[in-house]
mmCIF file of all heavy atoms in Angstrom:
data_model
loop_
_atom_site.group_PDB
_atom_site.id
_atom_site.type_symbol
_atom_site.label_atom_id
_atom_site.label_comp_id
_atom_site.label_asym_id
_atom_site.label_seq_id
_atom_site.Cartn_x
_atom_site.Cartn_y
_atom_site.Cartn_z
ATOM 1 N N ILE A 46 108.484 115.218 114.404
ATOM 2 C CA ILE A 46 109.859 115.324 114.876
ATOM 3 C C ILE A 46 110.594 116.321 113.980
ATOM 4 O O ILE A 46 110.418 116.299 112.753
ATOM 5 C CB ILE A 46 110.528 113.943 114.870
ATOM 6 C CG1 ILE A 46 109.871 113.031 115.928
ATOM 7 C CG2 ILE A 46 112.027 114.051 115.121
ATOM 8 C CD1 ILE A 46 110.374 111.608 115.915
ATOM 9 N N PRO A 47 111.381 117.237 114.556
ATOM 10 C CA PRO A 47 112.047 118.263 113.758
ATOM 11 C C PRO A 47 112.795 117.697 112.553
ATOM 12 O O PRO A 47 113.579 116.759 112.674
ATOM 13 C CB PRO A 47 113.010 118.908 114.762
ATOM 14 C CG PRO A 47 112.317 118.754 116.078
ATOM 15 C CD PRO A 47 111.655 117.405 115.999
ATOM 16 N N GLY A 48 112.496 118.280 111.395
ATOM 17 C CA GLY A 48 113.153 117.873 110.156
ATOM 18 C C GLY A 48 112.546 116.686 109.458
ATOM 19 O O GLY A 48 112.953 116.347 108.339
ATOM 20 N N ALA A 49 111.572 116.038 110.074
ATOM 21 C CA ALA A 49 111.002 114.820 109.494
ATOM 22 C C ALA A 49 110.201 115.117 108.233
ATOM 23 O O ALA A 49 109.436 116.083 108.179
ATOM 24 C CB ALA A 49 110.114 114.106 110.510
ATOM 25 N N LEU A 50 110.385 114.282 107.232
ATOM 26 C CA LEU A 50 109.583 114.326 106.020
ATOM 27 C C LEU A 50 108.390 113.392 106.191
ATOM 28 O O LEU A 50 108.475 112.410 106.928
ATOM 29 C CB LEU A 50 110.403 113.863 104.818
ATOM 30 C CG LEU A 50 111.719 114.594 104.536
ATOM 31 C CD1 LEU A 50 112.500 113.845 103.456
ATOM 32 C CD2 LEU A 50 111.463 116.024 104.116
ATOM 33 N N PHE A 51 107.293 113.672 105.485
ATOM 34 C CA PHE A 51 106.172 112.732 105.526
ATOM 35 C C PHE A 51 106.334 111.735 104.392
ATOM 36 O O PHE A 51 106.404 112.107 103.216
ATOM 37 C CB PHE A 51 104.829 113.436 105.412
ATOM 38 C CG PHE A 51 103.674 112.488 105.612
ATOM 39 C CD1 PHE A 51 103.356 112.027 106.874
ATOM 40 C CD2 PHE A 51 102.939 112.017 104.528
ATOM 41 C CE1 PHE A 51 102.318 111.117 107.078
ATOM 42 C CE2 PHE A 51 101.898 111.115 104.717
ATOM 43 C CZ PHE A 51 101.593 110.674 105.996
ATOM 44 N N PHE A 52 106.399 110.457 104.750
ATOM 45 C CA PHE A 52 106.531 109.366 103.779
ATOM 46 C C PHE A 52 105.171 108.711 103.637
ATOM 47 O O PHE A 52 104.741 107.960 104.517
ATOM 48 C CB PHE A 52 107.578 108.363 104.251
ATOM 49 C CG PHE A 52 107.861 107.262 103.267
ATOM 50 C CD1 PHE A 52 108.753 107.458 102.224
ATOM 51 C CD2 PHE A 52 107.246 106.024 103.386
ATOM 52 C CE1 PHE A 52 109.025 106.435 101.309
ATOM 53 C CE2 PHE A 52 107.507 105.000 102.486
ATOM 54 C CZ PHE A 52 108.397 105.213 101.441
ATOM 55 N N ASP A 53 104.479 109.008 102.550
ATOM 56 C CA ASP A 53 103.105 108.540 102.354
ATOM 57 C C ASP A 53 103.115 107.159 101.705
ATOM 58 O O ASP A 53 103.377 107.016 100.513
ATOM 59 C CB ASP A 53 102.340 109.537 101.482
ATOM 60 C CG ASP A 53 100.840 109.295 101.503
ATOM 61 O OD1 ASP A 53 100.426 108.138 101.691
ATOM 62 O OD2 ASP A 53 100.079 110.268 101.331
ATOM 63 N N ILE A 54 102.828 106.145 102.490
ATOM 64 C CA ILE A 54 102.859 104.769 102.005
ATOM 65 C C ILE A 54 101.802 104.539 100.923
ATOM 66 O O ILE A 54 101.984 103.697 100.034
ATOM 67 C CB ILE A 54 102.682 103.794 103.189
ATOM 68 C CG1 ILE A 54 103.935 103.834 104.078
ATOM 69 C CG2 ILE A 54 102.413 102.365 102.723
ATOM 70 C CD1 ILE A 54 103.820 103.062 105.365
ATOM 71 N N ASP A 55 100.725 105.291 100.966
ATOM 72 C CA ASP A 55 99.707 105.168 99.924
ATOM 73 C C ASP A 55 100.131 105.833 98.618
ATOM 74 O O ASP A 55 99.604 105.510 97.548
ATOM 75 C CB ASP A 55 98.385 105.780 100.396
ATOM 76 C CG ASP A 55 97.607 104.846 101.298
ATOM 77 O OD1 ASP A 55 97.761 103.620 101.165
ATOM 78 O OD2 ASP A 55 96.843 105.338 102.152
ATOM 79 N N GLU A 56 101.066 106.778 98.692
ATOM 80 C CA GLU A 56 101.536 107.494 97.500
ATOM 81 C C GLU A 56 102.788 106.849 96.907
ATOM 82 O O GLU A 56 102.943 106.780 95.682
ATOM 83 C CB GLU A 56 101.817 108.959 97.847
ATOM 84 C CG GLU A 56 100.569 109.767 98.197
ATOM 85 C CD GLU A 56 99.659 109.983 97.011
ATOM 86 O OE1 GLU A 56 100.166 110.022 95.877
ATOM 87 O OE2 GLU A 56 98.430 110.107 97.210
ATOM 88 N N VAL A 57 103.705 106.409 97.761
ATOM 89 C CA VAL A 57 104.908 105.718 97.277
ATOM 90 C C VAL A 57 104.500 104.270 97.044
ATOM 91 O O VAL A 57 104.792 103.360 97.833
ATOM 92 C CB VAL A 57 106.064 105.834 98.291
ATOM 93 C CG1 VAL A 57 107.335 105.215 97.702
ATOM 94 C CG2 VAL A 57 106.310 107.287 98.656
ATOM 95 N N ALA A 58 103.782 104.053 95.959
ATOM 96 C CA ALA A 58 103.129 102.766 95.718
ATOM 97 C C ALA A 58 102.961 102.536 94.225
ATOM 98 O O ALA A 58 103.140 103.447 93.407
ATOM 99 C CB ALA A 58 101.765 102.748 96.417
ATOM 100 N N ASP A 59 102.582 101.320 93.895
ATOM 101 C CA ASP A 59 102.294 100.949 92.511
ATOM 102 C C ASP A 59 100.928 101.526 92.134
ATOM 103 O O ASP A 59 99.893 100.997 92.533
ATOM 104 C CB ASP A 59 102.296 99.424 92.383
ATOM 105 C CG ASP A 59 102.006 98.950 90.968
ATOM 106 O OD1 ASP A 59 101.750 99.797 90.085
ATOM 107 O OD2 ASP A 59 102.013 97.723 90.741
#
Side-chain angles (χ1 to χ4, degrees):
I46 293 175
L50 304 170
F51 187 75
F52 185 83
D53 193 331
I54 291 172
D55 280 332
E56 292 292 331
V57 185
D59 180 357

